[in-house]
Amino acid sequence: YLSVVVLAELAWVLAISYGFDRSTLASTLEQLLRTVEFAVEDRDLVGEAVAEFAAGKAGFADTLIGVRNRAAGCDTTATFDRALRGSRGFRVL
C-alpha cells in the first residue's frame, strides 16, 4: 500500500538525494502507478497530480496537495511558496 504521504516523501527523496529531474521523477511515479502489485491511495488523483507535475513548475507534493484539495471542492489552495505564484489553483499568502 502506497499512501499519498509516502509518494510525496518518495518524490522528495528521489529529487533531493538522488538528483532525479522533473521528467525522470514523473516517469518513475507513472511506473509506480502502473504496477499492479501496489495499492495506491487515491490512484486516479495521484495520476492527475503526476501529469500536472510533469507539465508544471510546482513540486510534486504541492501539486498533489492542490489536486486533492480541488477534488475535495476547494477552488484555491493557500501557500507560502512564492514559486507557485500564478500556478493554477494556488494563492500565495
Side-chain angles (χ1 to χ4, degrees):
Y1 179 78
L2 299 175
S3 72
V4 294
V5 173
V6 167
L7 292 172
E9 179 70 10
L10 174 65
W12 186 85
V13 168
L14 292 176
I16 300 302
S17 297
Y18 293 93
F20 280 35
D21 62 21
R22 181 175 296 273
S23 175
T24 303
L25 182 52
S27 175
T28 300
L29 292 169
E30 287 170 353
Q31 289 173 355
L32 279 175
L33 289 174
R34 287 192 303 267
T35 303
V36 297
E37 289 82 11
F38 292 123
V40 178
E41 178 184 10
D42 290 337
R43 185 183 297 266
D44 292 339
L45 292 179
V46 172
E48 185 178 334
V50 170
E52 282 189 27
F53 167 74
K57 61 182 180 179
F60 178 69
D62 290 322
T63 304
L64 181 59
I65 291 166
V67 166
R68 293 188 79 209
N69 286 352
R70 282 197 314 268
C74 299
D75 294 329
T76 304
T77 297
T79 182
F80 293 108
D81 188 344
R82 286 179 266 176
L84 296 177
R85 190 172 311 283
S87 293
R88 175 182 170 224
F90 287 94
R91 180 173 53 94
V92 177
L93 300 176

